[in-house]
Amino acid sequence: MKILITGAAGFIGFHLSKYLLEQDSEIVGLDNLNDYYDVNLKKARLSQLEEHQNFRFVQLELADRSGMAELFAREKFNRVVNLAAQAGVRYSLENPHAYVDSNIVGFVNLLEGCRHNRVEHLVFASSSSVYGLNTLMPFSVHHNVDHPISLYAATKKSNELMAHTYAYLYGLPTTGLRFFTVYGPWGRPDMALFKFTKAILEEKPIEVYNYGKMRRDFTYIDDIIEGVVRTLFRIPHANIEWSGKSPDPSSSPAPYQLYNIGNNNPVELMHYIEVLETALGKEAKKNMYPIQAGDVPATYADVKDLEKDIGFKPQTSVEEGIQQFVAWYKKYYCLSN
Ligand SMILES: NC(=O)c1ccc[n+]([C@@H]2O[C@H](COP(=O)([O-])OP(=O)(O)OC[C@H]3O[C@@H](n4cnc5c(N)ncnc54)[C@H](O)[C@@H]3O)[C@@H](O)[C@H]2O)c1
């Protein structure tokens, strides 16, 4: 099976590619290697993937319409996983156009490629940020999500709508996965765990938003990968019970499905920091700040549908996951214990 993984030099794309290569899939990894964060980290991930014979890297911009059309026509992928995107809530306040280019224009190019080349299944990354102003917990894929509070979230919600349209019009099976704060080895330098670890080791203060009262459903990378792989091999069908009189947002009379992939066990930010301090054997200097624009105070994933359909739900504790991250961080940056 030939699989296109976009964002293969990114955090989640790297782990997914590595997992599927070890299962002997043929992987084409696409990435534009942009400098939103340390390009060397992206290249280091890629060089691990390039050790596998059944991996090929394509440096391409999702928004490059003709480049994308040519790639799809040439390669004839069986399945596609879209993990390339401009990520990050806070950056979207300063750089809105980057989100439109990668997440909207790029996503249309991807949908068109799938449509014209009979791709069997498109799986794409959405985000817990689509829950926006919702406060009914846990967040469920059956709830309405029409009140995003960042352009990032709005682009992710748009992806869900665009994917549904292609599922309906062209019968393209699509599955959208709403990831909840993913962390682990090879993680993203713009995210809290990475920034905190670096600052604590350098004995610099960390920035703690919402005075540490933020609650997040932190989800370990291996759990995310297990969820993505199982959904990739489960092509969605039309839901024959779906009714337009009470339209369920998570499914459709078209082959379209949405799932949350989250730990189903929210943790307060202060506790997350304590666990990190224990793993590092060092106390953090903390500067406390109010919540930032665009951020939601809490996330909590309802994963009942995921468990029912794919027989799996994330279960790694933050104690275990943070330890794995710290071990990787020290090894990668050649720090002694
Ligand atoms: N990490 C999380 O906590 C989290 C949570 C929710 C959703 N997501 C979503 O999951 C997906 C993967 O996230 P990640 O954490 O691996 O992010 P990442 O930034 O590490 O990976 C994304 C990769 O895509 C590439 N890319 C970005 N724009 C591109 C473009 N226009 N053309 C080609 N390549 C492009 C980047 O160079 C990067 O390597 C993203 O869609 C993100 O929005 C992540």
Side-chain angles (χ1 to χ4, degrees), residues 241-269:
E241 283 162 21
W242 192 90
S243 161
K245 288 184 179 150
S246 57
D248 168 26
S250 77
S251 67
S252 166
Y256 170 84
Q257 192 78 46
L258 285 175
Y259 295 107
N260 286 332
I261 309 191
N263 218 37
N264 186 235
N265 180 23
V267 166
E268 198 162 278
L269 183 57

Side-chain angles (χ1 to χ4, degrees), residues 269-304:
L269 183 57
M270 283 314 276
H271 178 64
Y272 195 65
I273 295 169
E274 278 164 24
V275 175
L276 177 60
E277 290 173 323
T278 307
L280 290 170
K282 247 177 156 162
E283 211 176 308
K285 295 174 189 154
K286 304 171 192 85
N287 286 343
M288 311 300 260
Y289 295 99
I291 194 163
Q292 288 196 307
D295 265 351
V296 297
T299 65
Y300 179 5
D302 177 334
V303 290
K304 283 201 283 289

Side-chain angles (χ1 to χ4, degrees), residues 44-107:
R45 294 181 186 130
L46 267 187
S47 69
Q48 298 244 322
L49 300 179
E50 280 166 343
E51 285 172 14
H52 292 262
Q53 282 192 338
N54 40 347
F55 179 78
R56 265 183 303 131
F57 176 58
V58 177
Q59 185 166 354
L60 186 63
E61 163 59 54
L62 279 186
D64 174 349
R65 193 198 294 188
S66 56
M68 289 288 287
E70 280 161 26
L71 175 77
F72 271 87
R74 186 172 71 236
E75 298 283 355
K76 300 286 177 208
F77 303 112
N78 301 104
R79 300 198 183 183
V80 174
V81 185
N82 183 42
L83 297 168
Q86 180 55 56
V89 168
R90 291 168 199 169
Y91 190 73
S92 72
L93 306 180
E94 310 291 329
N95 297 280
H97 296 293
Y99 291 76
V100 175
D101 295 344
S102 294
N103 305 4
I104 304 290
V105 177
F107 197 67

Side-chain angles (χ1 to χ4, degrees), residues 7 9-13 30-34 36-37 42 45 60-63 82-87 102 125-128 152 156 179-182 188 191:
F11 171 37
I12 302 174
L30 176 152
D31 206 293
N32 66 359
L33 296 179
N34 69 50
Y36 167 62
Y37 63 75
K42 295 183 181 180
R45 294 181 186 130
L60 186 63
E61 163 59 54
L62 279 186
N82 183 42
L83 297 168
Q86 180 55 56
S102 294
S126 183
S127 163
S128 59
Y152 168 66
K156 290 294 177 181
F179 299 147
F180 283 63
T181 318
V182 190
R188 264 172 43 202
M191 291 184 70

Side-chain angles (χ1 to χ4, degrees), residues 20-28 52-56:
L20 289 171
L21 286 166
E22 281 157 12
Q23 310 294 312
D24 279 339
S25 301
E26 183 184 348
I27 304 294
V28 175
H52 292 262
Q53 282 192 338
N54 40 347
F55 179 78
R56 265 183 303 131

